[in-house]
Amino acid sequence: MRLALFGGTFDPIHLAHLRVAAEAADKFALDRVLFVTAANPPHKPAGSTTPYEHRHRMVEIACSCDPRFEPSRLEDREGRSYSYDTIARAQSELAPGDQLYFLIGADAFAEIGSWYKAEEVLRMVEFVVVSRPGYRYPIPKGARVHRLESLALQISSSEIRKRLDEGRASVDLPPGVLEYIKQNGLYR
Ligand code: ATP
Ligand code: MG
């Protein structure tokens, strides 16, 4: 089985996340992409994100578009969510012969040096790094990195939150996610 972890705040999950995952799954013959909703993102101030259950529910709705996509509660726990712990937990559940990748955008990978146990993280897994307009990144020594350069998607959750707050609907969301946002009065 070939699988990838795809972590994110997903506040909210949008069409670029899905496109990135599909492209990686196609190019790297992945059987499963696990969308790991970050419970307490270390790089965002506590309380600044939408509650976990809302973000994860939207991930569940979005993942129904592709049989390879799976919502994951690997980070559904107290305390900060560190990728080091998430990867270790995922690896402990692998079967012999499984190949695990860590799927990540260029902006996030550019910051990886500042992560908790960065050197260990870089050693423990192979990365698929997806291009994102305006972001470049160095490849740290010894890191195993596959560059996926075929996408240049301008979409971001921050931009979508801003638009929704201004009362404008966003076309960059899966219809079911936009529906969920409206029903629950999120982002306004
Ligand atoms: P925010 O603007 O709130 O930071 P975001 O759009 O960056 O939201 P995240 O949940 O922070 O979304 O990102 C999760 C993962 O998806 C990260 O690895 C990020 O780099 C990647 N990603 C998000 N949007 C894109 C995009 N347009 N192109 C490539 N990768 C992306
Ligand atoms: Mg981001």
Side-chain angles (χ1 to χ4, degrees):
M1 179 88 81
R2 297 166 61 79
L3 53 161
L5 293 176
F6 187 32
T9 314
F10 300 130
D11 193 12
I13 189 165
H14 53 61
L15 293 180
H17 293 131
L18 300 174
R19 188 81 181 76
V20 160
E23 185 84 357
D26 291 346
K27 293 263 160 75
F28 293 88
L30 304 174
D31 303 293
R32 299 164 66 197
V33 178
L34 272 61
F35 285 67
V36 185
T37 310
N40 306 293
H43 55 285
K44 309 231 163 136
S48 68
T49 51
T50 303
Y52 177 85
E53 287 306 330
H54 279 313
R55 288 184 288 115
H56 191 66
R57 184 68 198 113
M58 292 187 279
V59 168
E60 288 175 344
I61 293 167
C63 281
S64 66
C65 73
D66 191 310
R68 298 170 295 185
F69 298 173
E70 246 175 80
S72 164
R73 287 189 176 272
L74 266 178
E75 289 189 2
D76 182 11
R77 41 179 58 219
E78 295 295 307
R80 289 298 190 192
S81 322
Y82 294 115
S83 295
Y84 173 82
D85 299 322
T86 307
I87 296 164
R89 214 168 296 136
Q91 283 176 334
S92 74
E93 291 170 12
L94 293 179
D98 281 353
Q99 170 70 30
L100 181 72
Y101 294 92
F102 194 93
L103 177 59
I104 186 169
D107 60 307
F109 190 76
E111 306 274 298
I112 204 163
S114 69
W115 287 15
Y116 173 68
K117 297 199 183 181
E119 286 192 15
E120 287 90 333
V121 170
L122 285 166
R123 268 199 301 270
M124 73 204 292
V125 72
E126 283 185 40
F127 291 84
V128 174
V129 183
V130 182
S131 45
R132 188 169 187 178
Y135 294 97
R136 298 170 53 81
Y137 58 92
I139 297 183
K141 211 161 145 256
R144 290 164 292 165
V145 170
H146 306 271
R147 291 174 174 271
L148 187 50
E149 302 275 320
S150 45
L151 298 178
L153 304 166
Q154 286 287 356
I155 305 169
S156 73
S157 299
S158 338
E159 197 51 47
I160 290 171
R161 287 195 301 274
K162 201 170 126 221
R163 226 172 328 176
L164 291 169
D165 185 49
E166 291 166 353
R168 294 184 285 153
S170 181
V171 293
D172 301 326
L173 294 168
V177 170
L178 180 57
E179 189 59 30
Y180 183 90
I181 288 170
K182 285 185 182 157
Q183 274 169 3
N184 291 276
L186 304 178
Y187 307 113
R188 32 181 308 151

